[in-house]
Amino acid sequence: MRPGTVKIFSAYAISVLIFTLLITGCGKDNKTADNDKKEKSDTSKKTSKTFSPGKEIFYSKSVINNIACADCHSDGTNSGNPLTKYFSNIQGANKRSSTYHGKFTGEEVEKNAAGATVCWESYEKMKTPLTENDIKLL
């Protein structure tokens, strides 16, 4: 090959590669966005029909870091999640005399949803605190 031919071939090959990446990348983004919209609408339908309001809070993902209470804690239905064996099971948490390693005792257990307020603000990074109604639902 002549030296000029190598430069032309290289430029052509790079152009084809970039063009191919742009075409395939754009197509995937559109499909993914469409699938995400469909999944979100399907999830919202399932959530409102299958979960009680308290469970809906428990399984809601934070928009900041995509963490939910259910990612760490078990409510008895999600024990297949590997992290739930390392964190407190929430079943009967409102009946405990103390929670969160003794941070909440007595009436404070109920007022703080057995420590859920700490996780909600510290780990899930929720912008708004749990309301009294949310705490009762949990």
Side-chain angles (χ1 to χ4, degrees), residues 1-133:
M1 283 186 160
R2 292 183 298 174
T5 309
V6 172
K7 287 182 184 178
I8 292 172
F9 178 75
S10 296
Y12 176 75
I14 291 172
S15 298
V16 169
L17 180 63
I18 290 171
F19 181 74
T20 304
L21 289 173
L22 286 173
I23 296 294
T24 58
C26 291
K28 286 182 182 176
D29 286 343
N30 290 338
K31 289 178 186 175
T32 303
D34 291 342
N35 288 341
D36 287 347
K37 287 178 189 173
K38 183 179 176 186
E39 286 176 17
K40 284 181 184 175
S41 67
D42 290 347
T43 304
S44 64
K45 289 177 189 171
K46 288 178 190 173
T47 301
S48 61
K49 290 181 182 178
T50 55
F51 287 158
S52 67
K55 269 198 172 191
E56 197 167 316
I57 294 168
F58 186 73
Y59 283 91
S60 294
K61 296 277 190 178
S62 166
V63 295
I64 303 295
N65 57 16
N66 200 35
I67 294 175
C69 303
D71 290 334
C72 299
H73 302 282
S74 175
D75 67 348
T77 63
N78 64 334
S79 56
N81 182 341
L83 287 178
T84 60
K85 63 184 171 188
Y86 298 107
F87 296 93
S88 295
N89 185 322
I90 59 127
Q91 292 176 308
N94 61 332
K95 304 216 184 322
R96 296 177 186 155
S97 59
S98 71
T99 60
Y100 218 87
H101 304 289
K103 181 174 184 167
F104 302 113
T105 58
E107 290 180 10
E108 292 175 325
V109 172
E110 191 174 324
K111 289 179 183 177
N112 291 290
T117 54
V118 174
C119 291
W120 183 264
E121 293 174 12
S122 300
Y123 302 112
E124 293 182 45
K125 308 282 187 214
M126 295 297 198
K127 299 279 183 189
T128 58
L130 287 168
T131 65
E132 282 185 44
N133 188 49

